[in-house]
Amino acid sequence: MLLMTPGPTPSPEFLRRAMADETIHHRTPEFEAIFGRARNRLKTFMKSSEVILLASTGSGAMEAALTHFCAKRALTINAGKFGERWSKIAAAYGKNPIELKYAWDTPASVADVENALKNNPEIDALFIQICESAGGLRHPAEAIAAAVKAIRPDVFVVADGITAVGVENIDATHIDALIAGSQKAFMLPPGLAAIGLSESAVKRIEATGGTGFYFNLATELKNQRKNTTAWTATTTIVQGLDAFFERLDQIGEERFYADTLKRRAAGEAALKAIGAQIYPKVAAPSMLSVFHQNAASLRKWMKKEALVNVAGGQDDLKDTLLRFNNMGFVEPNALAWSLNALEMAMDKIGSRKYDGAANRAFTETYYR
Ligand SMILES: *Cc1c(COP(=O)(O)O)cnc(C)c1O
């Protein structure tokens, strides 16, 4: 079965092998060397002052970011399931969020954020997704972050980059906390999250001594600067992360990002060739998100007959979206086959006659 969901993404063989090594105790020089190397490389990869690794999925890092960077009131951007999660976390901690809500295909606007900040001086942190995975939507997160800092430099900007880190070369200049997760572009099992921090974020953590217990970033930072973790590290996934960077550095970051964009362009050409509708108004490169009235039947056929597992939508879009992964080392032939499978499925349900246009457009665009 070809796993083509935008998270978890499949682990390629070189990562599975790295994680199949013998178990190492986390309080040993052997593991500390691996941890230190992987964390330092992640720091430069995320262009952060500091980075903290957490034993949790991305949502744990989202929660930690909220408890550390929002003392009074949160401004949240909700254009899908993950933006909604920001509001829910903020509400759970009594931060009475002001939510800017958008349709799931519509990016947030800089002006809306500026107005919210001007009208609500008690806001002290903004929470946004770079890519809102619910619809495959790209928010103008960098422009919003810059606008926030231009009006209120003291407001913390927290960006969920879980489907953006390792997909795009993100400009983190105005982002204080950038969140990543193991199971997306890093192609690792779920269970490791990271927060890349700006200098002012580090200062805030050190000045407050952190918040909470397990997700206390001050405790973690103190330990991680010594190449260890406060609690048992996710040793296996960290070994995988180290192997990811080893391979990435053979390929080169630029090439890695360029390949992602090249596959995206080929995928979009294939969708256009078969008249499939790209769902978001501004599409993120992490996935191909397709709207179709019969998406549920298409997915069912693709899984059963073509052995391709793509994601559906969530909530109102559960049965009308198909989301194809484009994160990590996706083989171009895997994406080409998946889009060919979509074309075949469209034929099966009688929505368009099969003529091989998806595969042709993909191949011509990718290899030309
Ligand atoms: C996958 C994902 C998350 C993390 O969700 P978990 O279930 O905690 O792994 C958060 N934000 C976005 C945008 C995601 O795609």
Side-chain angles (χ1 to χ4, degrees):
M1 181 72 65
L2 201 51
L3 182 62
M4 286 298 288
T5 55
T9 59
S11 273
E13 189 180 351
F14 76 95
L15 291 180
R16 296 199 306 272
R17 280 185 188 277
M19 293 183 287
D21 244 345
E22 64 186 17
T23 305
I24 315 180
H25 193 275
H26 58 292
R27 308 280 182 214
T28 56
E30 291 84 354
F31 181 70
E32 286 169 12
I34 296 170
F35 183 85
R37 191 163 61 224
R39 191 177 87 91
N40 282 323
R41 186 62 188 88
L42 186 60
K43 206 188 298 181
T44 56
F45 190 61
M46 292 176 79
K47 302 190 223 76
S48 318
S49 255
E50 269 299 352
V51 67
I52 296 175
L53 297 176
L54 297 171
S56 78
T57 66
S59 302
M62 290 170 75
E63 179 161 337
L66 188 119
T67 60
H68 284 75
F69 302 117
C70 181
K72 294 186 211 131
R73 194 163 194 192
L75 175 61
T76 58
I77 306 294
N78 175 358
K81 261 327 223 196
F82 294 99
E84 178 187 76
R85 190 167 302 173
W86 278 134
S87 304
K88 285 184 173 172
I89 298 170
Y93 282 96
K95 302 301 174 193
N96 191 19
I98 294 176
E99 182 181 77
L100 297 177
K101 204 167 178 181
Y102 298 90
W104 288 19
D105 64 350
T106 305
S109 97
V110 175
D112 290 349
V113 171
E114 287 173 339
N115 288 335
L117 285 180
K118 282 175 191 157
N119 297 332
N120 303 280
E122 72 280 18
I123 291 171
D124 60 355
L126 166 86
F127 299 88
I128 190 170
Q129 269 65 39
I130 296 178
C131 165
E132 168 53 80
S133 311
L137 172 71
R138 181 64 158 88
H139 281 302
E142 298 91 333
I144 286 175
V148 169
K149 295 295 181 182
I151 307 176
R152 295 261 312 276
D154 57 313
V155 169
F156 278 93
V157 174
V158 179
D160 167 358
I162 294 173
T163 47
V165 174
V167 177
E168 306 173 56
N169 198 353
I170 298 155
D171 175 8
T173 313
H174 302 290
I175 296 171
D176 293 298
L178 176 63
I179 299 170
S182 53
Q183 81 270 33
K184 309 281 166 86
F186 296 102
M187 301 167 284
L188 295 165
L192 180 69
I195 312 183
L197 302 166
S198 70
E199 263 172 51
S200 42
V202 171
K203 276 195 198 126
R204 154 74 73 102
I205 290 166
E206 286 172 336
T208 57
T211 318
F213 185 75
Y214 182 78
F215 286 125
N216 186 306
L217 298 182
T219 316
E220 280 301 343
L221 191 56
K222 201 169 118 228
N223 280 280
Q224 297 195 12
R225 280 173 166 160
K226 292 183 277 185
N227 298 332
T228 189
T229 46
W231 329 117
T232 308
T234 53
T235 46
T236 313
I237 311 179
V238 173
Q239 283 168 280
L241 183 64
D242 189 39
F244 167 83
F245 281 124
E246 193 186 332
R247 178 64 60 94
L248 178 70
D249 290 334
Q250 289 163 3
I251 294 170
E253 274 185 41
E254 242 173 76
R255 164 85 192 278
F256 181 54
Y257 291 129
D259 282 351
T260 301
L261 291 178
K262 198 171 150 188
R263 278 193 315 268
R264 191 261 284 264
E268 287 189 348
L271 292 172
K272 192 165 170 241
I274 58 172
Q277 184 195 335
I278 291 171
Y279 173 70
K281 287 177 187 151
V282 181
S286 56
M287 66 191 78
L288 295 168
S289 177
V290 178
F291 182 87
H292 195 289
Q293 274 312 332
N294 300 312
S297 320
L298 294 171
R299 281 180 60 226
K300 204 166 156 193
W301 188 90
M302 288 166 71
K303 189 169 175 192
K304 186 155 178 277
E305 304 298 334
L307 304 180
V308 176
N309 187 5
V310 301
Q314 293 160 295
D315 292 0
D316 293 348
L317 294 169
K318 188 172 168 290
D319 294 330
T320 46
L321 273 195
L322 300 106
R323 292 175 300 152
F324 296 76
N325 175 49
N326 188 33
M327 293 178 278
F329 297 113
V330 181
E331 297 289 347
N333 57 329
L335 187 53
W337 170 252
S338 303
L339 293 162
N340 179 62
L342 171 64
E343 186 184 345
M344 291 193 293
M346 284 166 76
D347 182 289
K348 294 299 165 196
I349 67 160
S351 97
R352 182 188 172 278
K353 196 157 171 45
Y354 181 84
D355 59 6
N359 193 39
R360 189 181 323 115
F362 186 96
T363 310
E364 284 178 359
T365 311
Y366 191 84
Y367 291 102
R368 198 165 276 163

